[in-house]
Amino acid sequence: VTEPVTLKKGTRIHVAGRKRDQDGARLDYIELIPVGEESGQRFESEFMRLANYRIVSHETASGGEIVAFRGGRGIGRSQLRYNGPAGDYSIKVAYVDNSDGVAHYKVSLHHPESE
């Protein structure tokens, strides 16, 4: 879960996963939790814009699918365009862990230009 961030309509949320050893940097979903709340809106990773990730079935995943690193070296990327109300949110990244590797994840934001 991230520290609170400010989101506004049109903000792009990027989650990058870097594979290490046998861990495929597998993402399940992200959840946007309004500050002061315990839960928020969930966005399944298989419906995000993906680069170097592939969609695979997974029995314990939310919705029955996850995204897993496609292969080789590099980084898998997923992107969500936020279109909800402006406010402060924590971003929860749900992933599927492997016991035989370590994956690293990075969350970044790109805010739309001010009008």
Side-chain angles (χ1 to χ4, degrees):
V1 178
T2 66
E3 294 294 322
V5 296
T6 300
L7 299 178
K8 57 186 176 180
K9 189 172 185 170
T11 298
R12 289 187 307 232
I13 303 167
H14 301 267
V15 180
R18 182 182 297 272
K19 176 185 173 188
R20 187 164 176 201
D21 298 326
Q22 297 302 311
D23 196 316
R26 302 175 302 172
L27 294 173
D28 191 358
Y29 62 87
I30 66 169
E31 184 176 1
L32 304 179
I33 306 168
V35 170
E37 301 291 329
E38 292 187 23
S39 63
Q41 189 172 6
R42 186 179 286 189
F43 298 88
E44 298 290 333
S45 58
E46 59 269 24
F47 298 113
M48 295 180 193
R49 186 176 198 175
L50 304 173
N52 208 23
Y53 268 126
R54 61 188 165 86
I55 300 170
V56 296
S57 295
H58 195 279
E59 60 194 35
T60 63
S62 170
E65 295 179 318
I66 60 172
V67 298
F69 192 70
R70 191 174 287 282
R73 294 184 178 258
I75 297 172
R77 300 183 197 290
S78 61
Q79 177 184 299
L80 170 72
R81 184 180 198 105
Y82 177 72
N83 286 313
D88 294 330
Y89 296 82
S90 292
I91 301 172
K92 176 181 178 180
V93 177
Y95 59 91
V96 178
D97 196 15
N98 273 12
S99 61
D100 55 353
V102 177
H104 299 275
Y105 300 92
K106 178 181 178 181
V107 177
S108 58
L109 304 175
H110 183 266
H111 297 288
E113 298 294 324
S114 297
E115 297 181 14

